[in-house]
Amino acid sequence: MTEFRSLSVDLMERILCLLPIPTLIRASTVCKLWYSIISSSTFSSSSSSLHPWFFLYGLHNTSSKNNQSFAFDPISNLWFRLPSNTSFSNNNTTSAAGFLFTTAPTFSFSPVLSRHISTTSPLHYSRHNPLLGVFYSSHNPNHNRPSFIVVGGVRFIGNLVDIEDRLAVEMYNPDLDSWDICPPLPSDFPTGFSSSSLSSALFKGRFYVFGINSSFVSSFDLESRVWSNVQTLRPPGVSFSFLISCKDRLVLAGICNSQAGSSFNLWRIDEKTMEFSEFAIMPQDLLYSLFDSDEDDKFACLKCVGLGDLIYVFNEDYHKRYPACVCEITTTTQQSGGGKCKWRRVPQLPSPVNKFHQVISFCSTVSLHSILQGRGGDAGAEAYV
């Protein structure tokens, strides 16, 4: 048999890309050749883009020492306790497209699982809890540098917030390091803490904003910088739902009430007509395993995030230490709009788990390139997980 060290680099890449990220980080310390392969940006994009991780940042209002951060890798089916990062450990932290952000008092961002932090020029309106999207414009000379869109939130002045002011949308140009003022979110949507009452999805050049309880939806065209008319997107029986951008589709995910009882359903959304078609339902035993009571309002603590082929649903209440499950959307389902999705329970968080006043959850791809470069490579990267 041919020895592994005698294989071509292309074949090595194909073998290594099948490994989970924690194993790859350890493999990168074996030799210089493996490190050069695994740490390259091209390898990172090919090995991790289809398997986004699930992140939980638990925040304690009175003692930052009780803050905790966790990341779940769906390939190895393991949780990892993350080292604390004081720059992204407050209730003004958010995430989008593989980046962590703070928007007040300054606007800073960092690739997820990287310690490299960048700061932009100030927003026109320093704001708290906005919706945020990341995109790459082909019109910019350096279109590999991310542009940002910031929507809603509340004005942040010192330690005070003003929920009455309807803040303008701002878009960041990375080549000029400047923010452009755009029309604000339509008045049908409430002002205030946008990230708690609204969900957002960036899909095919449009930034969608959706009311979790109101079911209002509108989209912002990133080219023309105009909002679409506000519509209502509510399948029969839905009490609340979240809009998610998956690999090739918009997905609506939420609790649906019928004579048979409550269920957690997924609908495919036609972005042109905003019509919906159901394609998956979470198994009842899996849904009720996320709760330990029969209270009527127990579903209100459910949250949902997703990216690529995966949709994560979790209970943000502490009672069972934030239990979660994941749905993998199969290729057959994506092509036909029907078929079965693969649902499974996510393992419990590693103990000890503190009780948090706020839980920030998001789904993100993980860049091996950022981890290895940010940790200086070799054994330092292995210690990260």
Side-chain angles (χ1 to χ4, degrees):
M1 296 178 63
T2 302
E3 292 185 4
F4 193 87
R5 62 184 178 183
S6 302
L7 300 178
S8 67
V9 173
D10 290 343
L11 190 52
M12 283 187 184
E13 288 183 355
R14 294 184 63 180
I15 295 172
L16 289 169
C17 74
L18 300 175
L19 299 176
I21 286 177
T23 302
L24 285 172
I25 293 176
R26 291 191 292 271
S28 69
T29 66
V30 170
C31 63
K32 291 183 178 180
L33 175 59
W34 286 20
Y35 176 77
S36 65
I37 294 174
I38 295 170
S39 63
S40 69
S41 57
T42 54
F43 179 85
S44 177
S45 61
S46 64
S47 63
S48 61
S49 58
L50 297 180
H51 307 291
W53 286 25
F54 177 45
F55 292 82
L56 282 181
Y57 281 25
L59 305 179
H60 195 278
N61 285 350
T62 58
S63 175
S64 60
K65 293 181 180 179
N66 291 326
N67 293 348
Q68 291 178 305
S69 302
F70 305 93
F72 173 72
D73 171 24
I75 301 302
S76 63
N77 200 41
L78 294 173
W79 281 102
F80 299 98
R81 191 184 301 275
L82 303 180
S84 59
N85 187 333
T86 56
S87 300
F88 300 101
S89 60
N90 57 60
N91 58 8
N92 198 37
T93 298
T94 186
S95 173
F99 291 91
L100 287 172
F101 298 90
T102 58
T103 57
T106 60
F107 189 95
S108 301
F109 64 97
S110 171
V112 171
L113 297 185
S114 171
R115 294 191 173 184
H116 176 72
I117 299 174
S118 301
T119 301
T120 72
S121 60
L123 288 160
H124 291 272
Y125 303 99
S126 182
R127 60 184 86 199
H128 188 78
N129 269 349
L131 302 174
L132 204 147
V134 181
F135 62 98
Y136 295 84
S137 174
S138 59
H139 298 299
N140 291 336
N142 297 315
H143 59 269
N144 60 328
R145 297 171 60 187
S147 299
F148 309 126
I149 177 171
V150 182
V151 177
V154 294
R155 186 189 291 271
F156 191 93
I157 305 175
N159 292 321
L160 302 176
V161 296
D162 179 6
I163 65 174
E164 301 299 327
D165 191 7
R166 185 169 296 279
L167 301 179
V169 171
E170 297 190 46
M171 294 179 66
Y172 179 69
N173 185 326
D175 297 309
L176 300 177
D177 186 29
S178 63
W179 292 90
D180 298 332
I181 292 291
C182 303
L185 188 66
S187 58
D188 302 74
F189 296 94
T191 57
F193 294 95
S194 301
S195 61
S196 60
S197 61
L198 304 173
S199 68
S200 61
L202 203 155
F203 188 71
K204 293 185 178 180
R206 304 186 74 90
F207 187 76
Y208 290 82
V209 175
F210 178 77
I212 294 172
N213 297 294
S214 70
S215 295
F216 290 155
V217 63
S218 180
S219 63
F220 183 82
D221 190 305
L222 298 177
E223 291 292 333
S224 64
R225 301 188 176 186
V226 174
W227 286 99
S228 68
N229 293 330
V230 177
Q231 299 175 257
T232 301
L233 181 59
R234 187 192 294 272
V238 168
S239 56
F240 67 90
S241 51
F242 304 86
L243 191 64
I244 299 169
S245 176
C246 291
K247 184 166 60 176
D248 71 338
R249 63 174 61 186
L250 279 174
V251 172
L252 190 68
I255 287 290
C256 186
N257 299 313
S258 66
Q259 292 182 347
S262 298
S263 60
F264 193 90
N265 299 24
L266 303 180
W267 295 267
R268 180 172 187 165
I269 307 301
D270 186 319
E271 71 273 11
K272 295 180 180 179
T273 64
M274 300 309 290
E275 295 179 348
F276 50 84
S277 56
E278 181 186 290
F279 70 90
I281 300 177
M282 184 191 299
Q284 282 289 94
D285 58 340
L286 185 58
L287 174 62
Y288 282 88
S289 71
L290 302 178
F291 306 95
D292 59 1
S293 70
D294 292 325
E295 297 177 3
D296 293 338
D297 62 346
K298 62 179 177 294
F299 295 114
C301 56
L302 279 185
K303 298 296 179 184
C304 184
V305 295
L307 188 68
D309 294 329
L310 301 179
I311 292 178
Y312 293 92
V313 184
F314 85 104
N315 186 335
E316 69 171 356
D317 195 351
Y318 175 73
H319 72 294
K320 296 182 74 175
R321 295 187 178 180
Y322 316 104
C325 63
V326 59
C327 173
E328 181 179 358
I329 304 175
T330 65
T331 302
T332 301
T333 303
Q334 290 178 347
Q335 291 176 347
S336 66
K340 294 184 178 180
C341 293
K342 297 179 181 178
W343 296 87
R344 61 186 169 98
R345 180 74 182 265
V346 172
Q348 289 187 332
L349 286 167
S351 297
V353 180
N354 297 331
K355 187 173 183 178
F356 308 120
H357 294 92
Q358 181 181 354
V359 177
I360 299 171
S361 61
F362 57 91
C363 190
S364 174
T365 55
V366 174
S367 170
L368 270 169
H369 179 75
S370 295
I371 298 174
L372 296 175
Q373 296 299 318
R375 297 291 294 176
D378 300 330
E382 183 181 2
Y384 201 89
V385 294

